[in-house]
Amino acid sequence: MLDHESVRRLRAHAQALAGGAREDSAEAVVQRVFAIQAQDATASDLGIRVRGRDITARAIRTAYEKERSIVRGWYMRGTLHTIPSDDARWVLPLLSPRILAATNRRYQQLGLDDALRQRADHLIRHALAAHGPLTRAELTEHLTTLGIPPDGQAPFHLIRHAALTGVLCHGPQRTGEATYVLLNDWLPTTGRFGWEGDAVLAELARRYLAAHAPATLEDFAAWSGLPVTWARRAWKMLAESGAITEYGTLTMLAGRVKELPGSSDTPDVRMLPAYDNYLIGYRTREVSVPALHQAHVWPGGGLIRPTVIADGLAIATWTRGSGARSIQVDAFEPVPPQIEQGIDMEKEAVVGFLRTTP
């Protein structure tokens, strides 16, 4: 069995958030953790920064737009994530059918029947081929030719539908605003994948465990948005192949427990952005955030605050002042000088990163 401290250290190290673990590029960060929460573009950039070694905002933009090694789209739970570009074409067909089915009631409420959604996909494909990259407002203008009102939720849901059906993905930013491009034009083609059928599901579970273990199959289901029955199938395949080892209810990739990082006299302090996947990649929270302080991190209304962790344990929340010039840290309890020093270093790093954001 693994105690809470060991579980936390292993999880934080897997996420490149403790034990001195850091990656040298945006691509390497995303390859390591597989998915970065990306509802907020600045928060997703900060999620890459905190796992990297001196990664600048410009370097992240280069990974998105010039190297095209990472891509932003609607993946796990139908929520925006940044994932490795090489994985987009196998992840999407696995996840999107359930996301589309779950959204069907909303489509009906908005008057977006199947025929209209297909017409919108067709129109968006041609608009991007002729005029892309296009912003949401520009795509909305094209959609009005189908009788879609420009206000309200219908344009967003049609753009998201086109993403889920493999028509488009996020492309380059234009003056700080997201644009959309044709998926097949934007992302490099990597040929056939090595997995088919349930093997694709097992591969997603393997990627999850590589970045989040020790974890349970229920954690995987909560993270991916897939049913627990699917998670059980994935676990069974991984177990039959000898890819995993179980420690009570927790599972790790075989051999990974030997990588448990040793404790250090100097705490590893990191400043996580809002909605970071270290905080929401599991069904429960008690390992990373003490129960007494969970309301500080999850105040309600769907908010998940930016959080300071030390060796993987949440110790404070933080907020930005006006612009990128100052950061306010609100510690849950008084912190020792070593952690205070780590917080000061992280504050300086975050301010420097935000000042150079394109």
Side-chain angles (χ1 to χ4, degrees):
M1 295 290 290
L2 297 169
D3 59 28
H4 268 199
E5 182 181 356
S6 297
V7 171
R8 180 170 62 249
R9 286 164 59 200
L10 282 162
R11 287 179 175 180
H13 188 266
Q15 282 281 315
L17 290 172
R22 291 183 182 270
E23 298 292 340
D24 290 325
S25 69
E27 179 183 6
V29 167
V30 180
Q31 288 282 356
R32 177 174 182 139
V33 304
F34 186 70
I36 293 283
Q37 290 283 135
Q39 299 100 308
D40 179 281
T42 299
S44 66
D45 284 359
L46 287 168
I48 293 173
R49 179 216 71 85
V50 73
R51 294 165 168 85
R53 187 177 292 105
D54 300 323
I55 298 175
T56 64
R58 188 172 300 279
I60 295 171
R61 201 55 37 208
T62 296
Y64 275 118
E65 299 178 8
K66 293 183 179 178
E67 299 168 357
R68 303 184 188 179
S69 57
I70 59 177
V71 65
R72 190 170 172 229
W74 289 274
Y75 300 109
M76 279 58 68
R77 307 180 306 284
T79 304
L80 281 171
H81 286 79
T82 293
I83 70 170
S85 295
D86 287 348
D87 296 316
R89 286 186 174 85
W90 66 265
V91 172
L92 197 60
L94 173 64
L95 300 177
S96 63
R98 294 195 61 84
I99 301 167
L100 290 167
T103 316
N104 191 60
R105 183 178 178 185
R106 185 59 180 147
Y107 291 146
Q108 302 311 315
Q109 291 172 342
L110 294 169
L112 307 175
D113 61 24
D114 186 61
L116 181 53
R117 297 198 302 273
Q118 289 188 37
R119 288 168 60 204
D121 280 356
H122 181 77
L123 182 147
I124 288 171
R125 188 187 303 275
H126 281 269
L128 290 175
H131 309 291
L134 296 175
T135 64
R136 176 174 168 177
E138 290 164 346
L139 280 177
T140 296
E141 187 174 349
H142 284 279
L143 289 168
T144 60
T145 64
L146 297 179
I148 304 298
D151 300 325
Q153 288 288 304
F156 161 76
H157 276 285
L158 289 173
I159 293 169
R160 183 173 178 262
H161 184 273
L164 292 170
T165 54
V167 173
L168 62 78
C169 64
H170 279 69
Q173 285 192 0
R174 188 197 304 160
T175 61
E177 185 175 2
T179 70
Y180 301 93
V181 291
L182 290 175
L183 174 71
N184 286 336
D185 285 351
W186 184 253
L187 296 187
T189 303
T190 55
R192 289 184 58 82
F193 309 112
W195 322 287
E196 295 180 358
D198 275 0
V200 178
L201 174 62
E203 178 61 20
L204 184 65
R206 191 191 70 78
R207 300 291 186 97
Y208 171 77
L209 288 170
H212 294 83
T216 67
L217 63 86
E218 290 84 4
D219 290 328
F220 169 65
W223 170 83
S224 65
L226 295 172
V228 171
T229 53
W230 289 35
R232 289 196 187 101
R233 282 179 15 223
W235 251 238
K236 182 179 179 182
M237 292 184 67
L238 292 174
E240 289 174 347
S241 69
I244 58 175
T245 303
E246 294 184 286
Y247 300 86
T249 60
L250 294 169
T251 301
M252 294 193 68
L253 294 182
R256 281 293 182 92
V257 76
K258 297 176 183 177
E259 299 175 11
L260 182 65
S263 58
S264 170
D265 293 336
T266 304
D268 194 337
V269 178
R270 310 286 181 102
M271 293 181 66
L272 305 180
Y275 306 101
D276 192 83
N277 29 294
Y278 177 67
L279 299 175
I280 60 176
Y282 307 92
R283 188 173 54 87
T284 58
R285 307 162 177 174
E286 67 274 4
V287 171
S288 57
V289 184
L292 183 64
H293 304 301
Q294 287 185 7
H296 291 97
V297 179
W298 289 272
L303 296 177
I304 304 172
R305 287 178 173 150
T307 303
V308 183
I309 60 172
D311 295 331
L313 182 67
I315 59 169
T317 57
W318 63 276
T319 54
R320 279 190 284 165
S322 60
R325 293 186 296 276
S326 64
I327 289 175
Q328 174 69 41
V329 172
D330 296 305
F332 302 151
E333 299 173 355
V335 297
Q338 281 186 315
I339 290 182
E340 191 69 52
Q341 184 179 8
I343 290 174
D344 288 342
M345 292 174 63
E346 273 287 271
K347 285 168 66 173
E348 182 179 350
V350 171
V351 167
F353 179 90
L354 292 172
R355 279 177 175 164
T356 60
T357 297

